[in-house]
Amino acid sequence: MKRSKPISSSKSLKTPRLDVRSRAELKALQSLMATAVFRPLTAQDGMQPRWIDGGKTSDLASTFIKPNDRLTSFDRLEIYNRVYWFRVLDCLYDDYPGLRAILGERKFMKLITAYLAKYPSASFTLRNLGSRLETFLRDEPRWVAPRPELALDMIRFEWAQVVAFDDGARPAITPDDILDARPEKLRLGLQPYLSLLELNYEVDEFLVAVKKSESAVLRSEASNTFEAMPHASGPEKRIRLPKRKRIHLAVHRHDNMLYYKRLDPEGFVILTALREGASVEDACLRGLSSTKRIGIDWSEEIKDYFNNWASLGWFCRFSKK
Amino acid sequence: MPANSFNNFTEYGIGIGLRVPHYRHILSQKPVVDWFEIISENFMVDGGRPLEVLDSILEQYRVVQHGVAMYFGSADRLSREHLKKLKRLVKRTKTPWLSDHLCWGSVDGRYTHDLLPMPYTFAAAKATADNIREARDFLEVPICVENVSSYAEFHASEMTEWEFLSEVVERADCGILLDVNNIYVSSQNHNFDPYDYLNNVPPDRVGQIHIAGHSKFEKYILDTHDHPVLDPVWKMYAHAVKLVGRTATLLEWDDSIPTFDEVHNEALKANQFVEKLENAPA
């Protein structure tokens, strides 16, 4: 991401106050203020007293913000710095209750602060604020030590719910639509809102328990007002962490309600292959070649899979995009 | 004056913001409401529950779009991708006009999710007006820009906020969403007379009015939208209505949201000021 060059506080003291007589100067002022707004708060939830170059932030603030009879330039800039951080931390706090329960409140707050310092919001909507959390933790797993695998599973699961909530839907294909199609030629698309996850922990059951204990309400609306910095309000009630167990999940919606559904390993392979563009025949062959289960009537089983998935509206026309 | 080209010659009365905690009540009880204002960005999605709710609301109510992330005042050009999504929503809602803020909030693709104040300079006014014109031409719907509440002023400013607002809307030939609560909040934070502001914006460009509650802190006032409207703001509203006439008015209540009826009744208090004006001897 392109970042604006930090302005030196000591240099700017020697130069006149910032003017805005062109679009370029407007850009320079906005870049400077944005840099200040995006800098993490101190442990006391205040603006950092030192600027990027080691000079005083108050000196820098006074080059472009007027003081008044009650507040210094620093104080006024700090209001925006605090509002930004309260808002984005509050948003991730609400969107990732499972991850928060795994890490505990303090560790969670440290993690999301580090994440947002590295990846400031890159979308007009707060809905996408956590979209790069998985990438961040793959690069910097120390934030979730000693449980990086569990944390990653939970992040993927919680992000899949964001996708399932409001990602697009394409016209669903019914079994009748493909009655005469040849399996070796037929390719099926999967709905964009459907996520397929292969996980190492039973995070689905864990999240249900977390939400039950928190009566969590998912954030679903952007707002330009803000609340106080989210902090733990009392002793944390820890829920037993999930067991290590390989599971396969489909995270989806039906009648605009959010669901997660466990899949058989074979079903997961078939769906993943379909998403990758395999024909129905190839996808089924891949699913069966992976199976370790014996004594199953696979022709019946696969028919049930497809009937079930079609009834949930997961199939749509295949598109190479 | 109230029905003008900036609100597409409509007379919408008193509306409230469509908020999640009220969805169930609205959809099941179908209360009589003049109109709802939606936050555009909440519905600029590709599918799911938000659009299902919106479609149900649209079947029964008039809806006006209000944005929080167009950032007309950003030095960066408007995002074409954002405009395309917004236009899809405009087509869906058939909003008679569309509003967003006179502010900036993003730089180089990084978003603050805040309504940051502008330096009040001629160059900034020109850049902002250019952005508004571009948006209006692309979206093909009248635009009203809203004054924001602010907590900082810039050394670079060359004029007052109301002069800047006037400069922008004249250059862009657009309307004003006059937020009287924001004027009050900023007047307290920056030591100016809010009535100077009201008396000096072009009344014929006001297409909509916002009212809201705010919170007082020791050294400044914050626009929190989590209270009923305070008396000084109602007084300003009465004065604003005298200047601009009966105008579509919207109560914003975004945090610590009470019951639907409480919010709606608070909004309907605006009627008494309008009626007083209309019953006054000529």
Side-chain angles (χ1 to χ4, degrees), chain A residues 1 20-21 23 27 30 62 64 66 68 70 76 80 87 121 123 166 221-222 224-225 227 256, chain B residues 19 42 47 52 68 73 75-77 104 108 110-111 113 121 151 153 155 188-191 224 255:
Chain A
M1 181 186 299
V20 178
R21 292 183 184 145
R23 195 182 264 262
K27 175 75 180 256
Q30 293 180 347
S62 65
F64 67 105
K66 282 184 193 173
N68 69 4
R70 288 155 285 163
R76 299 180 111 184
Y80 289 101
R87 179 174 291 127
S121 177
S123 166
D166 61 12
E221 181 161 17
N224 273 282
T225 57
E227 296 168 2
N256 288 324
Chain B
R19 300 293 179 261
N42 289 349
E52 182 191 34
V68 294
D76 294 335
R77 296 283 175 187
W104 67 282
D108 293 330
R110 293 176 296 159
Y111 288 78
H113 303 285
T121 74
Y151 316 104
E153 301 162 288
H155 289 302
Q188 299 300 298
N189 291 337
H190 307 316
N191 300 326
T224 46
D255 216 343

Side-chain angles (χ1 to χ4, degrees), chain A residues 1-4 17-35 37-38 61-71 73 75-77 79-84 87-88 120-129 132 164-169 217-227 253 255-257, chain B residues 18-21 23 39 41-42 44-50 52 68-69 71 73-77 82 85 101 104-119 121-124 126-128 130-131 149-158 187-191 218-226 254-257:
Chain A
M1 181 186 299
K2 191 179 163 193
R3 283 182 180 273
S4 45
R17 289 168 174 173
L18 288 178
D19 284 328
V20 178
R21 292 183 184 145
S22 65
R23 195 182 264 262
E25 287 182 345
L26 179 63
K27 175 75 180 256
L29 182 136
Q30 293 180 347
S31 296
L32 177 62
M33 186 161 171
T35 302
V37 167
F38 287 132
S62 65
T63 64
F64 67 105
I65 290 180
K66 282 184 193 173
N68 69 4
D69 54 349
R70 288 155 285 163
L71 297 166
S73 305
D75 295 335
R76 299 180 111 184
L77 184 56
I79 293 172
Y80 289 101
N81 186 206
R82 285 164 53 93
V83 166
Y84 169 73
R87 179 174 291 127
V88 290
S121 177
S123 166
F124 70 90
T125 167
L126 287 166
R127 178 250 194 218
N128 295 330
L129 199 57
R132 293 178 290 179
F165 181 67
D166 61 12
D167 241 34
V217 177
L218 288 175
R219 178 195 59 77
S220 55
E221 181 161 17
S223 165
N224 273 282
T225 57
F226 75 95
E227 296 168 2
R253 66 172 183 256
D255 289 338
N256 288 324
M257 297 289 286
Chain B
L18 181 67
R19 300 293 179 261
V20 174
Y23 283 179
I39 302 294
E41 287 75 7
N42 289 349
M44 287 162 65
V45 294
D46 293 328
R49 174 96 174 125
E52 182 191 34
V68 294
Y71 300 137
S74 275
D76 294 335
R77 296 283 175 187
H82 188 92
K85 284 187 177 186
H101 299 84
W104 67 282
S106 65
V107 174
D108 293 330
R110 293 176 296 159
Y111 288 78
T112 66
H113 303 285
D114 202 353
L115 309 172
L116 300 177
M118 296 296 298
T121 74
F122 290 98
K126 183 181 180 310
T128 305
D130 288 348
N131 284 342
S149 49
S150 63
Y151 316 104
E153 301 162 288
F154 296 100
H155 289 302
S157 289
E158 298 162 346
S187 75
Q188 299 300 298
N189 291 337
H190 307 316
N191 300 326
E218 191 188 340
K219 292 182 178 177
Y220 59 94
I221 294 184
L222 208 54
D223 182 29
T224 46
H225 297 182
D226 60 353
D254 296 318
D255 216 343
S256 307
I257 300 175

Side-chain angles (χ1 to χ4, degrees), chain B residues 59-83:
Chain B
E59 280 174 16
Q60 297 169 60
Y61 295 99
R62 300 185 294 194
V63 165
V64 176
Q65 284 181 226
H66 178 57
V68 294
M70 192 120 67
Y71 300 137
F72 291 133
S74 275
D76 294 335
R77 296 283 175 187
L78 298 180
S79 155
R80 200 35 74 116
E81 217 35 56
H82 188 92
L83 286 174

Side-chain angles (χ1 to χ4, degrees), chain A residues 32-51:
Chain A
L32 177 62
M33 186 161 171
T35 302
V37 167
F38 287 132
R39 294 190 78 204
L41 301 174
T42 63
Q44 290 73 42
D45 293 342
M47 188 159 70
Q48 293 187 40
R50 292 284 166 189
W51 189 241

Side-chain angles (χ1 to χ4, degrees), chain B residues 157-178:
Chain B
S157 289
E158 298 162 346
M159 60 187 100
T160 63
E161 185 185 336
W162 53 92
E163 287 167 341
F164 181 74
L165 173 62
S166 304
E167 180 75 15
V168 169
V169 297
E170 295 292 347
R171 276 177 177 271
D173 192 18
C174 69
I176 295 173
L177 194 178
L178 192 67

